[in-house]
Amino acid sequence: MAGKFCVSLTHARDDTDKATVAFVIANAAVGSDQETVVFLSTEGVNLAVEGAADDIHEEGFAPLKELMDNFVGAGGTILVCSPCFNKRALDENALVKGAKIVGGAKLVEFLADGTPSVSY
């Protein structure tokens, strides 16, 4: 990988446009040979659960589930904020492929060397 890139996403069904565009950018980053992480926090953690993205399809974009599957298939990593996930009492046994529940320290570790990050 040539470098690293982070996409921070705080939305799911509350703003499907931002959720979709976040994964479009993440796919562009991983497709550009960047070690890429999507960090899901606050409402964004809902996307870490199987089925949550299945019917989200913004006009002009690929369906969100397809974008997420493509991202993971290309080697991208989805990190999920542990406190945000637990606060919403989501099922950790129903995580989408490639998602990992982590504490904030994992994000700090990934970004600590000056890794660029965008937020949606």
Side-chain angles (χ1 to χ4, degrees), residues 29-77:
V30 78
S32 299
D33 203 27
Q34 301 292 306
E35 179 183 354
T36 306
V37 163
V38 171
F39 184 73
L40 302 176
S41 62
T42 60
E43 286 300 305
V45 298
N46 289 295
L47 295 175
V49 176
E50 279 290 340
D54 287 0
D55 62 346
I56 297 174
H57 189 182
E58 286 290 320
E59 186 176 335
F61 295 97
L64 182 55
K65 181 175 182 350
E66 180 181 323
L67 290 168
M68 293 174 68
D69 288 346
N70 289 346
F71 174 69
V72 171
T77 301

Side-chain angles (χ1 to χ4, degrees), residues 5-12 14-29 37-45 47 61 64 117-120:
F5 195 79
C6 179
V7 177
S8 178
L9 175 58
T10 60
H11 298 280
D14 60 318
D15 192 330
T16 57
D17 193 31
K18 285 185 178 180
T20 298
V21 172
F23 274 95
V24 168
I25 297 302
N27 274 290
V37 163
V38 171
F39 184 73
L40 302 176
S41 62
T42 60
E43 286 300 305
V45 298
L47 295 175
F61 295 97
L64 182 55
S117 178
V118 294
S119 298
Y120 290 92

Side-chain angles (χ1 to χ4, degrees), residues 55-105:
D55 62 346
I56 297 174
H57 189 182
E58 286 290 320
E59 186 176 335
F61 295 97
L64 182 55
K65 181 175 182 350
E66 180 181 323
L67 290 168
M68 293 174 68
D69 288 346
N70 289 346
F71 174 69
V72 171
T77 301
I78 299 173
L79 300 180
V80 184
C81 170
S82 177
C84 303
F85 192 86
N86 293 335
K87 175 184 175 184
R88 287 160 179 81
L90 299 171
D91 183 1
E92 66 183 65
N93 295 313
L95 290 176
V96 296
K97 183 179 175 185
K100 299 176 190 169
I101 298 174
V102 299

